[in-house]
Each structure stands twice: as structure tokens, then as C-alpha cells.
């Protein structure tokens, strides 16, 4: 394995987990529903980068791209539906705070 | 390698910026920047089709969705926005500290480099998608249909409420009550009506 590739693997081994940590931090800590979606997006980007890099170093870029295209499509639909849920939630609770959702009303 | 490292640093900074930015519009723009940098990295890693998808879907479509959501949920005044989500300044210290500590720890993690990559299999993305990943294609179609109906159901209720709102805003004629048709439209059986009351005001409801 070339030294360039080895350095790239070491760099990815640092930055991809950093993206994961950022995404999880945002999801866990934030009270804003829209920012929770942003955290989810960052997690997806970390997975996307991991898949593409794995395809690059193994020479299977076509398979990696096929997986990533599927992931991106599902991500877009997820954000669209989640955005609709957030808008409806705001109409009911007049707030973007997730703590307002703790009181279930039948 | 230097360019890749710079792109990775830029990617991390813009991702962290989208988390820490208080203004949601700026956070959405920072997320779009993250997608753009990721797209450039994908081009550099010989994945042009995925890069185009990332650029067209994540950097633009998802950003538009975020902007629409932000505009539909934005309070009318800045004071209401401040009251709604107060500033928590400790985020600005905690997240970067956490990431720096994690980066330092990860630098010392030993990564086994003695694996040999399997021989590269040259193939086209289209042939892989159509021939080898057919369940993925079916899943994508089902997810798109489910998303379409999900959004339709979510916003159908909003249209229904808009229709009901028209009955509520009509002023009441003196000493009149709701006609049976109006009662059915608003979904209540009986209501105490004060003379001259505009139905937009709160009413006492009889069970």
C-alpha cells in the first residue's frame, strides 16, 4: 500500500469519527427540532464519506456509488417528511422545542 | 494529499458551524457548504455520479427544504424567537473541545495497514444498480412513494383546518347559534354563544 494511501486512511480515521461525534452530539443535545434534522444530515454525510472512501481504497467505486445514491435518495425523502412533521408540530405546539412534545394529548 | 486534508478540515469546520450557528438560515447554508465540500471529495475519490447526486440533492434540494421549513416555522418577531430558543453558550465551548480531544485520541489509535485490497473490479454504476442492486432500486421507489403520501397526509390536515377556519371567523348574528351545518363543519355539538361574538374569540363549550 502506498504511503499516500496510508496517510489518507489515517486522516479519514480521524475526520470521519469527528463527523459522527458532531452528528450524535447535535442529535442528543439540541432542543430545536430543525437542528436535530441537521444532526441527522451530518450523520448521513459521515456514512456517505465512509462508503465512498471504502470504495476508493478497495477499487469498488461503482458499488460504493450505487449504495451512496440509494442513501442520498432516502435521506432526501426523510428530510422532506421530517420537515412536514416539524411544521405540523409547530402548528400544534407553537414551538420548535422538543420538550413540548413530552406531553402527549390524546 | 494536502488538498484532501484541507477539504476534510473544511468539511469538519462547516459541519460544526451548522451545529453551533444560532441563526437557522446560516446553519442551513453551512450544511449546504458541507455538502459541496463532500461532493468535491467524492470527485477526488473517483465517484463522479455520487458527487453529482450529492451536489444536486443534498446541497440544493435539501437546503431548499430546510429554508422552507425555517420560513414556515419562523416566529414573527425577533423577541419571540429569542424567547422561544434561548442561547446556550456552553455549546460553543463543549463541542469543539470534544472534537479536539477525540481527534487527539484517534491520532494514537493504531490502524492495521497490512491488509491487501482485493483486485479492482472495473464496472459501471448503472450496471451495478440494475443488475446487482435491484432490491435497492425497489426500496428507493417504495421510499419515494411513502414520502409522497406522507407529505400529502401531513399537509392535507392543514388544508382541512384552513377550511374549518373560515367558519370560525364569521361574525355571529345577534342571539343566533350555529346552524347544524356549521356545527358539523367545526365538529362540535353545542356551544354557548354570546351576542355579537366573533367566532374567532374563545367560547365556552358545553360537553
Amino acid at each position: 500500500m502506498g504511503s499516500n494511501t496510508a496517510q489518507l486512511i489515517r486522516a479519514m480515521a480521524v475526520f470521519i469519527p469527528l463527523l459522527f461525534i458532531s452528528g450524535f452530539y447535535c442529535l442528543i443535545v439540541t432542543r430545536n427540532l430543525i437542528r436535530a434534522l441537521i444532526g441527522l444530515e451530518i450523520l448521513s454525510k459521515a456514512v456517505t464519506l465512509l462508503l465512498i472512501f471504502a470504495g476508493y481504497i478497495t477499487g469498488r467505486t461503482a458499488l460504493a456509488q450505487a449504495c451512496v445514491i440509494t442513501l442520498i435518495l432516502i435521506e432526501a425523502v426523510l428530510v422532506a417528511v421530517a420537515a412536514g412533521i416539524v411544521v405540523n408540530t409547530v402548528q400544534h405546539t407553537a414551538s420548535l422545542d422538543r420538550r413540548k412534545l413530552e406531553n402527549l394529548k390524546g | 494529499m494536502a488538498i484532501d486534508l484541507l477539504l476534510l478540515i473544511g468539511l469538519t469546520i462547516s459541519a460544526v458551524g451548522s451545529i453551533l450557528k444560532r441563526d437557522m438560515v446560516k446553519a442551513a447554508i453551512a450544511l449546504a457548504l458541507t455538502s459541496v465540500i463532500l461532493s468535491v471529495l467524492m470527485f477526488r475519490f473517483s465517484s463522479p455520479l455520487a458527487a453529482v447526486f450529492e451536489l444536486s440533492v443534498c446541497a440544493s434540494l435539501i437546503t431548499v427544504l430546510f429554508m422552507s421549513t425555517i420560513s414556515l416555522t419562523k416566529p414573527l418577531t425577533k423577541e419571540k424567537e429569542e424567547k422561544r430558543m434561548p442561547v446556550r453558550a456552553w455549546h460553543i465551548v463543549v463541542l469543539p473541545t470534544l472534537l479536539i480531544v477525540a481527534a487527539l485520541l484517534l491520532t494514537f489509535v493504531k490502524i492495521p495497514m497490512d491488509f491487501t485490497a482485493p483486485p479492482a473490479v472495473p464496472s459501471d454504476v448503472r450496471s451495478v444498480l440494475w443488475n446487482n442492486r435491484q432490491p435497492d432500486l425497489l426500496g428507493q421507489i417504495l421510499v419515494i412513494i411513502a414520502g409522497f403520501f406522507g407529505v400529502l397526509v401531513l399537509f392535507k390536515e392543514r388544508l382541512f383546518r384552513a377550511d374549518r377556519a373560515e367558519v370560525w371567523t364569521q361574525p355571529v348574528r345577534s342571539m343566533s347559534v350555529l346552524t347544524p351545518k356549521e356545527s358539523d363543519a367545526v365538529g362540535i355539538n353545542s356551544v354557548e354563544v354570546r351576542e355579537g361574538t366573533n367566532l374567532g374569540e374563545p367560547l365556552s363549550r358545553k360537553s
Side-chain angles (χ1 to χ4, degrees):
Chain A
M1 183 175 294
S3 63
N4 225 13
T5 312
Q7 282 176 359
L8 204 51
I9 290 173
R10 282 198 191 90
M12 286 296 180
V14 171
F15 283 98
I16 291 176
L18 290 185
L19 278 176
F20 268 107
I21 290 167
S22 307
F24 275 120
Y25 178 87
C26 185
L27 267 179
I28 290 166
V29 169
T30 190
R31 289 184 293 190
N32 190 324
L33 290 172
I34 298 177
R35 209 176 292 279
L37 279 182
I38 289 176
L40 206 62
E41 280 295 299
I42 292 170
L43 280 174
S44 299
K45 283 177 197 339
V47 172
T48 304
L49 184 57
L50 184 62
L51 281 171
I52 291 292
F53 185 65
Y56 175 67
I57 58 170
T58 55
R60 280 163 169 74
T61 54
L63 179 61
Q65 285 184 86
C67 292
V68 162
I69 286 167
T70 306
L71 174 62
I72 288 170
L73 263 164
I74 292 172
E75 188 185 329
V77 172
L78 175 78
V79 169
V81 175
I85 291 170
V86 166
V87 169
N88 261 292
T89 303
V90 169
Q91 284 169 2
H92 279 101
T93 61
S95 172
L96 278 169
D97 197 338
R98 61 168 168 79
R99 293 175 300 177
K100 300 279 169 122
L101 298 174
E102 288 171 3
N103 300 323
L104 289 175
K105 289 179 185 175
Chain B
M1 177 61 202
I3 297 173
D4 292 328
L5 196 60
L6 279 170
L7 286 170
L8 285 170
I9 292 169
L11 182 77
T12 311
I13 289 172
S14 58
V16 169
S18 67
I19 297 168
L20 295 178
K21 275 280 178 197
R22 208 175 159 276
D23 186 3
M24 292 308 302
V25 173
K26 288 179 185 168
I29 292 169
L31 190 68
L33 180 63
T34 311
S35 297
V36 168
I37 298 172
L38 182 60
S39 175
V40 173
L41 274 167
M42 284 179 179
F43 269 112
R44 287 188 60 80
F45 292 148
S46 314
S47 304
L49 199 58
V52 166
F53 259 84
E54 176 74 24
L55 203 57
S56 59
V57 176
C58 295
S60 52
L61 173 66
I62 287 180
T63 307
V64 166
L65 284 172
F66 270 112
M67 293 296 184
S68 308
T69 310
I70 291 164
S71 67
L72 285 170
T73 56
K74 202 169 174 62
L76 291 171
T77 61
K78 208 163 176 61
E79 289 79 25
K80 279 187 180 174
E81 193 174 353
E82 293 276 336
K83 193 181 168 187
R84 179 191 269 187
M85 298 300 301
V87 179
R88 293 198 290 173
W90 55 272
H91 281 311
I92 300 168
V93 175
V94 168
L95 180 59
T97 310
L98 185 65
L99 291 177
I100 290 166
V101 168
L104 287 170
L105 288 171
L106 287 164
T107 314
F108 293 110
V109 167
K110 196 176 176 186
I111 300 162
M113 295 287 186
D114 53 352
F115 70 90
T116 48
V121 177
S123 56
D124 190 22
V125 180
R126 291 166 293 181
S127 62
V128 168
L129 263 175
W130 283 109
N131 299 332
N132 300 346
R133 310 295 303 181
Q134 283 157 353
D136 281 359
L137 280 174
L138 181 64
Q140 286 172 31
I141 294 166
L142 289 173
V143 163
I144 289 169
I145 292 170
F148 169 73
F149 283 112
V151 173
L152 198 65
V153 165
L154 283 167
F155 285 101
K156 185 182 172 189
E157 190 181 327
R158 196 174 171 212
L159 289 168
F160 179 64
R161 273 207 295 275
D163 290 341
R164 285 164 63 181
E166 287 176 14
V167 178
W168 285 97
T169 55
Q170 288 171 7
V172 176
R173 298 166 290 280
S174 60
M175 293 305 290
S176 66
V177 294
L178 293 173
T179 63
K181 196 176 173 186
E182 287 168 346
S183 299
D184 289 338
V186 298
I188 51 175
N189 295 323
S190 65
V191 64
E192 182 186 310
V193 178
R194 296 186 289 274
E195 184 177 350
T197 301
N198 186 329
L199 280 174
E201 294 173 4
L203 302 166
S204 59
R205 179 184 283 186
K206 288 181 184 173
S207 57

